[in-house]
Amino acid sequence: MSGVCCRIFHINLDEEEYKSKKFRTQFEEFEFIEDFKEAQEYGAHILAKNEDQSCIYLKNNLCSIHEDMPKVCRKFFCNSTNPQFKDMIKQVNEEKTSKGMPINKP
């Protein structure tokens, strides 16, 4: 695992995950928002990031909450052949290429 996707994408929590309050979000000052649609409007349902824009749960290029990662992270993988992820895989490969890293081929 390279952790590239954990650096270039915003991770959107679903309603259940947001309401569980087990994940740190980028706008913690909006934690008082209970209505999920309102949280989405403000971006309060997006995982927090470090100063380098990587996910706060990325440690040594590995997910530190792997066993309990958000559903969206579980669905996506860098060598997926699912057309739904075509553009995301392209972004990951472009980022890897720019960093001189080998790209994943489906």
Side-chain angles (χ1 to χ4, degrees), residues 1-11 48-50 52-59 61-64 69 73 76 78 92:
M1 177 176 188
S2 66
V4 170
C5 57
C6 304
R7 288 181 170 75
I8 64 175
F9 298 122
H10 292 287
I11 306 304
K49 290 189 168 242
N50 294 308
D52 68 358
Q53 296 306 302
S54 64
C55 173
I56 60 161
Y57 298 111
L58 183 67
K59 308 289 184 217
N61 289 330
L62 298 172
C63 180
S64 65
M69 70 174 67
C73 298
F76 177 75
C78 294
V92 168

Side-chain angles (χ1 to χ4, degrees), residues 23-80:
F23 299 102
R24 285 190 45 215
T25 60
Q26 68 176 355
F27 297 119
E28 289 181 339
E29 64 269 21
F30 292 122
E31 276 190 21
F32 63 90
I33 298 174
E34 293 295 325
D35 179 64
F36 183 66
K37 295 217 182 295
E38 188 177 2
Q40 287 178 305
E41 200 174 302
Y42 288 103
H45 69 303
I46 298 172
L47 283 187
K49 290 189 168 242
N50 294 308
E51 283 186 29
D52 68 358
Q53 296 306 302
S54 64
C55 173
I56 60 161
Y57 298 111
L58 183 67
K59 308 289 184 217
N60 299 317
N61 289 330
L62 298 172
C63 180
S64 65
I65 59 168
H66 184 79
E67 295 299 317
D68 201 28
M69 70 174 67
K71 291 173 193 156
V72 69
C73 298
R74 291 186 185 282
K75 282 183 175 180
F76 177 75
F77 51 96
C78 294
N79 59 353
S80 174

